[in-house]
């Protein structure tokens, strides 16, 4: 959080910026625009300098923090797996079902609908820019996107599959054999549950949203944000939102109790979901969650892990009172909401994959059959 | 079915061929390849000439039989609607859920899973090349794709929505306002249920699969099919499959009793589904269905309206005995199956749309809430 602005800005301007967690030396090949950003004669110079102490633009490409390779064949395989509903036991749900690339990486439901029409316990978080998070899931229980990818596919309320059935499914389709061989060319048996997860991770690492209005402004374009949005940024900083929601992803880095100052209503913070406490069994982790990343937040209602708040402005007010003990004025709440809208970046343009043809041995989908008595197809 | 081959071939070679139902005059600007097709010295000449009496290649673009315009703004709107799960009451299902562009336009389930995890009564048919069908649905009860598009969105076991709630949803999102205004520029109130359907129809009219191996062969490239596939075509014609499955779409034109010669097993033809009889209440229409179009059939198991047959070769045998009273030899069944594999064309490459942002007044999704007790996101 204390990087000097010039470092952040030059990093951001590199087309294939390295993982943004690492502190970089100033790039000697910085483009002229970096100079614009630092121009002291801009009326926004002071606000920009303060913002640059806290935030970084989304780069146009990301690396995995682990250093694992993001090769084109891995991306292609990962994309295919991500969109394939046959990864679920029922044949109904794919990763895309709850992390829709057309809906900001979410499903816009309070909580997701899964196998047998069960409702998941938490709101589906976006995978867009998830590569920039320190850990995955609301409670950070997965270290990275590969570990995360192994979760929903096995969860009983989500895809309800088993690694064995998944591998049998993948092995039965020659198309997947080719995709895995290309993605993991040095391995004799490339179709493994680990590689399934690594491929999805590689694809998801490409799902980033650069060039938001805020990022353009941060990089020196005064007109990229309007006056209300700039007032909102000022109010965001004055209120202290950046204490938790900062960095390249405006969050996703650290853990905080939800209700640091004042417990939210029980519908917003259901009593039964104690957050990180379930992972650590540490009393201090009661109702502790990972600070939500705020990139594209205007695209992803409803809000909070409970998913019960549908308006961003309401979410802003709740956070302000629960976490900071501040009652925002109407104008402040509206301005901050307007500012958050500037965090919407370019959404990924994904060509829907053509999925491999099933084989004779491919396990059949296993939905739970219920009686039907309705119009025919 | 009695068009002279030269007409069909020249039509097929035009990049934007007009609706294939209309009989065309021979194109004076026919490319040299048309000559190859008619070359009498090819060893395939005789088989090709016979095939050309029955079949036509998929053109590279289609027009709507109604003559309604397929404009780029309509396609874009239709694509957005097609992929938007908020068109369903639950917010879970879109057209794409059951007509997956990555799965040959189907969901690869025996019957589709819909609202509240209900199972639909019939297997989900593909929308790929549906523009070439004389009518839509297994029983042909929708005259065209626009009429069809109004069905699933309202069906209780599918998307379970109402036109009113749908229109309210669309009107609440400024992004849809812009898309509808662009697609229907001369209308003051462009957001209507009819226009919803017309836009989806325009998008679906682009979902065609030209350039299959068979089409290449039909257009004169001997090597596009191998010997087994050519034997399969010979066997297909000798058995009489083309009596029902012919034309550009290898079916989709007329109605026939399923079990013309011999009733299939009750699992394949469930007693309770009397097909077209439900529409016409005419005794002759008992178990009558539209002849299924066979384009891309290798991609779309399971088969029949009941969806209980998973292997194409089994489906071929059942059709042969039920419709033609013929017991195919193993070799014939395998050859015909291999031939049907040549009907797989180029699959549509669709960039997943970025869906409009919801508005403050957008109706919330209404899934049926069930208790949850499972791993969290």
């Amino acid at each position: 959080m204390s990087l000097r602005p010039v470092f952040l800005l030059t990093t951001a301007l590199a087309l294939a910026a390295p993982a943004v967690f690492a502190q970089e030396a100033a790039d000697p090949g910085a483009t002229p625009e970096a100079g614009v950003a630092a121009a002291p004669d801009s009326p926004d110079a002071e606000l920009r300098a303060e913002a640059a102490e806290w935030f970084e633009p989304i780069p146009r490409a990301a690396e995995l923090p682990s250093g694992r390779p993001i090769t084109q064949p891995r991306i292609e395989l990962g994309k295919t797996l991500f969109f394939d509903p046959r990864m679920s036991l029922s044949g109904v749900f794919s990763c895309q079902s709850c992390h829709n690339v057309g809906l900001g990486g979410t499903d816009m439901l309070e909580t997701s609908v899964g196998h047998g029409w069960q409702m998941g316990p938490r709101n589906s978080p976006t995978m867009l820019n998830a590569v920039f998070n320190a850990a995955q899931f609301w409670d950070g229980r997965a270290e990275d996107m590969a570990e995360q990818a192994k979760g929903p596919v096995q969860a009983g309320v989500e895809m309800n599959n088993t690694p064995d059935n998944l591998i049998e499914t993948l092995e039965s389709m020659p198309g997947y054999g080719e995709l895995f061989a290309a993605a993991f060319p040095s391995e004799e048996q490339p179709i493994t549950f680990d590689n399934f997860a690594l491929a999805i991770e590689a694809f998801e690492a490409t799902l980033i949203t650069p060039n938001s209005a805020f990022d353009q402004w941060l990089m020196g374009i005064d007109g990229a944000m309007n006056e209300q949005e700039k007032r909102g940024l000022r109010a965001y900083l004055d209120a202290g939102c950046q204490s938790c929601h900062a960095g390249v992803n405006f969050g996703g880095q650290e853990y905080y109790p939800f209700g640091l100052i004042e417990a939210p209503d029980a519908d917003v913070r259901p009593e039964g979901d104690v957050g990180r406490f379930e992972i650590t069994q540490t009393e201090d982790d009661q109702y502790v969650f990972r600070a939500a990343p705020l990139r594209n937040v205007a695209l992803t209602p409803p809000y909070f892990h409970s998913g019960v708040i549908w308006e961003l402005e309401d979410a802003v007010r709740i956070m302000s009172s629960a976490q900071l003990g501040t009652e925002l004025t109407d104008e402040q709440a509206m301005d901050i909401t307007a500012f958050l809208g500037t965090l919407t970046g370019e959404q990924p343009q994904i060509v829907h994959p053509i999925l491999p043809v099933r084989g004779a041995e491919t396990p059949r989908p296993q939905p739970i059959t219920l009686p039907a008595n309705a119009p025919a197809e």
Side-chain angles (χ1 to χ4, degrees), chain A residues 221-290:
Chain A
I221 301 171
D222 285 358
M225 294 210 296
N226 66 26
E227 289 311 310
Q228 183 185 25
E229 291 158 353
K230 290 173 193 172
R231 281 201 312 272
L233 168 57
R234 180 73 268 157
Y236 183 98
L237 291 166
D238 289 347
C241 309
Q242 76 281 15
S243 316
C244 304
H245 299 283
V248 67
N249 217 6
F250 279 71
Q253 296 306 309
E254 289 170 69
Y255 302 95
Y256 303 94
F258 186 24
L260 190 61
I261 306 294
E262 180 185 316
D265 292 347
D267 58 333
V268 175
R269 194 192 76 176
E271 276 194 21
D273 187 346
V274 292
R276 211 167 152 71
F277 176 79
E278 269 181 39
I279 323 292
T280 63
Q281 301 295 321
T282 304
E283 201 54 37
D284 282 355
D285 281 343
Q286 288 267 13
Y287 301 111
V288 162
F289 295 89
R290 193 194 57 183

Side-chain angles (χ1 to χ4, degrees), chain A residues 274-360:
Chain A
V274 292
R276 211 167 152 71
F277 176 79
E278 269 181 39
I279 323 292
T280 63
Q281 301 295 321
T282 304
E283 201 54 37
D284 282 355
D285 281 343
Q286 288 267 13
Y287 301 111
V288 162
F289 295 89
R290 193 194 57 183
L294 300 184
R295 289 283 181 181
N296 305 298
V297 69
L299 301 184
T300 63
Y303 299 107
F304 301 123
H305 65 287
S306 54
V308 299
I309 300 300
W310 281 84
E311 296 306 325
L312 184 53
E313 193 180 318
D314 294 339
V316 166
R317 287 176 192 278
I318 290 170
M319 285 310 277
S320 173
S321 60
Q323 304 305 100
L324 302 166
T326 307
E327 288 299 322
L328 297 173
T329 66
D330 285 353
E331 199 196 10
Q332 285 171 328
M334 285 189 288
D335 289 350
I336 290 174
T337 303
F339 163 64
L340 292 175
T342 71
L343 301 181
T344 299
E346 287 173 5
Q347 300 300 296
Q349 298 293 306
I350 306 293
V351 176
H352 196 290
I354 303 305
L355 304 175
V357 181
R358 55 173 285 119

Side-chain angles (χ1 to χ4, degrees), chain A residues 14-376:
Chain A
L15 262 181
V20 285
F21 301 124
Q23 186 166 337
E24 300 281 326
D27 179 0
T31 59
E33 284 81 356
V36 175
D41 56 345
S42 158
D44 292 349
E46 199 177 330
L47 182 60
R48 180 176 289 121
E50 187 175 343
E53 287 175 28
W54 293 98
F55 312 117
E56 294 177 63
I58 300 267
R60 295 204 73 87
E63 300 295 335
L64 291 166
S66 62
R68 286 193 284 258
I70 306 174
T71 64
Q72 200 54 44
R74 272 197 202 191
I75 295 168
E76 195 57 34
L77 169 61
K79 180 172 87 162
T80 308
L81 295 166
F82 187 92
F83 277 90
D84 196 334
R86 297 166 303 179
M87 300 303 101
S88 63
L89 186 71
S90 67
V92 172
F93 299 112
S94 64
C95 305
Q96 159 74 4
S97 302
C98 301
H99 304 285
N100 191 318
V101 296
L103 288 172
T106 70
D107 55 14
M108 289 211 175
L109 302 176
E110 297 195 355
T111 66
S112 300
V113 170
H115 191 86
W117 209 254
Q118 297 170 89
M119 300 289 155
R122 290 185 189 150
N123 180 259
S124 173
T126 184
M127 77 297 182
L128 300 180
N129 306 308
V131 64
F132 302 124
N133 295 335
Q136 306 299 328
F137 292 117
W138 281 95
D139 51 19
R141 69 184 185 279
E143 188 186 356
D144 54 33
M145 293 189 297
E147 189 182 341
Q148 188 279 332
K150 292 179 174 179
V153 74
Q154 298 183 77
V157 292
E158 299 184 48
M159 297 166 79
N160 196 33
N161 212 342
T162 60
D164 282 354
N165 189 63
L166 185 81
I167 296 304
E168 194 183 334
T169 300
L170 294 170
E171 285 181 339
S172 69
M173 298 191 228
Y176 271 118
E178 290 167 21
L179 287 167
F180 271 91
F184 301 94
S186 62
E187 302 184 26
E188 268 188 46
Q189 302 279 350
I191 299 182
T192 66
F193 195 42
D194 282 342
N195 286 348
F196 161 87
L198 291 176
I200 290 177
E201 176 187 62
F203 170 60
E204 289 184 340
T206 69
L207 301 179
I208 62 178
T209 65
N211 210 29
S212 70
F214 172 75
D215 285 359
Q216 293 182 40
W217 177 86
L218 190 63
M219 290 192 278
I221 301 171
D222 285 358
M225 294 210 296
N226 66 26
E227 289 311 310
Q228 183 185 25
E229 291 158 353
K230 290 173 193 172
R231 281 201 312 272
L233 168 57
R234 180 73 268 157
Y236 183 98
L237 291 166
D238 289 347
C241 309
Q242 76 281 15
S243 316
C244 304
H245 299 283
V248 67
N249 217 6
F250 279 71
Q253 296 306 309
E254 289 170 69
Y255 302 95
Y256 303 94
F258 186 24
L260 190 61
I261 306 294
E262 180 185 316
D265 292 347
D267 58 333
V268 175
R269 194 192 76 176
E271 276 194 21
D273 187 346
V274 292
R276 211 167 152 71
F277 176 79
E278 269 181 39
I279 323 292
T280 63
Q281 301 295 321
T282 304
E283 201 54 37
D284 282 355
D285 281 343
Q286 288 267 13
Y287 301 111
V288 162
F289 295 89
R290 193 194 57 183
L294 300 184
R295 289 283 181 181
N296 305 298
V297 69
L299 301 184
T300 63
Y303 299 107
F304 301 123
H305 65 287
S306 54
V308 299
I309 300 300
W310 281 84
E311 296 306 325
L312 184 53
E313 193 180 318
D314 294 339
V316 166
R317 287 176 192 278
I318 290 170
M319 285 310 277
S320 173
S321 60
Q323 304 305 100
L324 302 166
T326 307
E327 288 299 322
L328 297 173
T329 66
D330 285 353
E331 199 196 10
Q332 285 171 328
M334 285 189 288
D335 289 350
I336 290 174
T337 303
F339 163 64
L340 292 175
T342 71
L343 301 181
T344 299
E346 287 173 5
Q347 300 300 296
Q349 298 293 306
I350 306 293
V351 176
H352 196 290
I354 303 305
L355 304 175
V357 181
R358 55 173 285 119
E361 303 301 320
T362 303
R364 296 182 188 169
Q366 298 176 50
I368 303 162
T369 304
L370 300 173
N373 51 357

